Amino acid sequence: MPLTRAVVAYFPVKQLEPYLGQLKWCLRSLLEMMKDEPKLWRTDIVLYVEDLTSPELRQLGCSTTARQNASEPFKCILVKYTKVQDRVIDPKSSGYDRELKDQFKEYSFIDSIAPLAEQPEVYLNYDFVVRSDLDVFFTPAFSKWIPPGCTFITGNGGYSDPYNLMKLALVANHSGSYFNSSIWNIGSTWVGPAPLISKIAARTVHWMVYLSKTEFAPKMRKQSWWSQAVLWPEWHYGVLLLYGGQLAINEILHAGRRYPFQKIDLDHPTTSTAACTETGPIHLHTYQSDTYFSKYRFASGAYKNTHSLPIVLNSSRCCDYAGYIAGDSLSMSPEVLANSLHAIKRYG
């Protein structure tokens, strides 16, 4: 039967490099995944952007036209969004906008979650939503996968520490919110039913504002201070998004008693030598590493000289799968990539 999925992300148009390259390899990985996707399934990408007329995104086949039915081919959908730091505050501004602008003057990561909370209507008609960064790869294992029993799925993060776990528990208890200390190290990628993604996104923003106001001094909110990671891993403003997500997931899901919850191998590292077959990880994420496959070495062009990327798809190692997909995305023009994505799933 027909089924629709949407990968939803924020794309910073004003910072084309390195994000355009990451978007291209993400799209190329979706193309590879779709070769094994069931005929009646559709997987789109929804991008929140500042500029709807970006020629680079238009060349990739992106437009403002939403999906009209479940049989249309692949769509890359652009949604107008204003970055929190670019919002103009005037006497008519809402309290919400004022607080966001005041708290996150130097925390751009708010833009990776705020649009999902503010404009959920663009993805609510999809059966399942993947909230993701763009420096990721979808694998063959994602082609036929959906969350079992409409479970809310996350991967594993790497930020939790006994101190911040205790601190978040105290914040939740003080606010009368449910908290389970076994729900921790929540990954940055979420997969779940669209309405649930919307609820958790909204509460994540709420908790980010609350934590920023009450648990971090103004000096600690300045990027020049928190970027030094002085208090990492005990209490670090740089992962405020993950703290907020942990509180929101606890609050909404009640550790799986209100809605089913599961952590799986999302955000699997692209440095991994595990197999990326249909029984392997469904989703790869590039981290801050120079180990192959590294987004930093790829962006710098280092692989052209020191480590040739695979020229044939190899799913026996995730690092090689990522390397091939990223390399192939470079060799494809935006128009060819766009046409290939549109052609692989025609009307049923």
Side-chain angles (χ1 to χ4, degrees):
M1 61 181 297
L3 183 139
T4 57
R5 304 182 291 189
V7 177
V8 182
Y10 164 68
F11 182 83
V13 173
K14 297 177 183 178
Q15 296 174 269
L16 284 177
E17 295 303 330
Y19 295 107
L20 184 61
Q22 294 175 8
L23 174 60
K24 282 191 67 179
W25 82 42
C26 179
L27 290 172
R28 176 61 184 85
S29 74
L30 286 174
L31 174 63
E32 193 64 33
M33 178 278 300
M34 289 175 192
K35 294 176 182 178
D36 296 314
E37 192 178 38
K39 181 180 179 181
L40 297 181
W41 288 23
R42 298 292 185 269
T43 303
D44 293 341
I45 190 164
V46 177
L47 300 175
Y48 293 98
V49 297
E50 298 101 329
D51 182 5
L52 297 175
T53 64
S54 165
E56 291 81 6
L57 295 180
R58 293 289 178 165
Q59 287 171 2
L60 284 168
C62 303
S63 76
T64 57
T65 305
R67 173 169 290 279
Q68 302 300 309
N69 55 63
S71 62
E72 284 186 290
F74 168 82
K75 300 188 77 67
C76 173
I77 301 165
L78 304 180
V79 181
K80 178 68 174 177
Y81 172 73
T82 302
K83 289 179 59 177
V84 168
Q85 293 174 355
D86 292 342
R87 297 181 187 184
V88 177
I89 301 301
D90 59 37
K92 295 182 179 179
S93 297
S94 67
Y96 169 85
D97 276 331
R98 291 175 186 278
E99 286 205 310
L100 256 61
K101 184 68 179 277
D102 184 53
Q103 294 301 316
F104 304 124
K105 295 173 183 175
E106 300 186 36
Y107 189 76
S108 60
F109 299 126
I110 183 64
D111 295 308
S112 69
I113 189 65
L116 281 81
E118 295 170 356
Q119 300 182 70
E121 64 278 3
V122 301
Y123 61 78
L124 282 177
N125 287 333
Y126 288 88
D127 296 308
F128 295 100
V129 168
V130 182
R131 182 250 164 188
S132 179
D133 295 334
L134 291 172
D135 56 343
V136 301
F137 298 81
F138 290 88
T139 74
F142 185 71
S143 62
K144 300 179 179 69
W145 181 88
I146 56 173
C150 294
T151 300
F152 185 86
I153 302 287
T154 73
N156 286 293
Y159 64 91
S160 288
D161 166 90
Y163 178 80
N164 63 46
L165 190 62
M166 176 192 70
K167 195 165 181 66
L168 292 173
L170 290 172
V171 168
N173 291 337
H174 178 74
S175 303
S177 179
Y178 179 87
F179 191 86
N180 185 321
S181 59
S182 69
I183 307 298
W184 65 319
N185 258 345
I186 303 296
S188 62
T189 303
W190 306 344
V191 188
L196 199 51
I197 294 285
S198 172
K199 285 182 181 180
I200 294 176
R203 294 307 292 172
T204 295
V205 173
H206 163 83
W207 285 114
M208 290 174 69
V209 171
Y210 182 90
L211 289 171
S212 182
K213 287 174 61 177
T214 63
E215 303 297 331
F216 291 92
K219 179 179 74 172
M220 299 168 74
R221 300 196 293 263
K222 291 186 176 296
Q223 188 171 5
S224 60
W225 192 88
W226 64 257
S227 63
Q228 300 178 56
V230 176
L231 298 180
W232 172 263
E234 289 86 358
W235 195 237
H236 179 46
Y237 195 75
V239 292
L240 184 69
L241 171 62
L242 299 177
Y243 293 157
Q246 182 172 337
L247 287 167
I249 287 169
N250 269 282
E251 176 189 20
I252 300 297
L253 302 182
H254 272 223
R257 289 186 290 183
R258 182 178 291 167
Y259 298 99
F261 170 70
Q262 185 179 357
K263 289 171 73 175
I264 66 169
D265 197 10
L266 286 173
D267 299 306
H268 190 86
T270 55
T271 55
S272 169
T273 56
C276 264
T277 60
E278 288 193 2
T279 59
I282 66 172
H283 175 272
L284 309 179
H285 204 153
T286 57
Y287 292 108
Q288 298 183 34
S289 171
D290 284 331
T291 304
Y292 174 73
F293 171 80
S294 162
K295 62 183 176 183
Y296 300 117
R297 294 184 66 79
F298 178 83
S300 70
Y303 290 134
K304 295 178 181 177
N305 303 316
T306 61
H307 192 303
S308 297
L309 295 175
I311 59 173
V312 177
L313 181 62
N314 177 10
S315 296
S316 64
R317 302 198 314 168
C318 287
C319 56
D320 287 331
Y321 177 86
Y324 169 79
I325 294 293
D328 198 51
S329 73
L330 277 181
S331 67
M332 299 179 76
S333 71
E335 294 81 5
V336 168
L337 181 54
N339 291 336
S340 299
L341 283 161
H342 191 268
I344 198 167
K345 286 290 184 73
R346 300 202 179 275
Y347 289 88

